Amino acid sequence: MSDQSHRESRGEASVCPKCGVGALVQKKVRLGAMVGCHIWPRCDYVQMRSN
Ligand SMILES: [Zn+2]
């Protein structure tokens, strides 16, 4: 039994800076990658990520 105290998993999602409640999810789009709020369209926060 390993007693590893991992507080949070690595794949912790960032919180949307606009609404503060939604999580940012990454989506693949034609131009590359796009990060958007997961409660879209209630929150329209979108951030483009260039390669
Ligand atoms: Zn949001």
Side-chain angles (χ1 to χ4, degrees):
M1 293 183 193
S2 58
D3 192 16
Q4 296 177 347
S5 55
H6 287 168
R7 291 184 179 179
E8 310 244 344
S9 57
R10 279 189 177 180
E12 184 180 358
S14 305
V15 178
C16 174
K18 186 173 183 178
C19 64
V21 294
L24 297 182
V25 292
Q26 188 168 355
K27 299 177 182 179
K28 286 184 179 180
V29 292
R30 269 187 159 187
L31 299 177
M34 191 183 79
V35 176
C37 188
H38 97 282
I39 63 170
W40 182 92
R42 291 177 63 188
C43 173
D44 62 350
Y45 178 82
V46 171
Q47 182 180 15
M48 283 296 302
R49 281 188 177 179
S50 58
N51 290 341

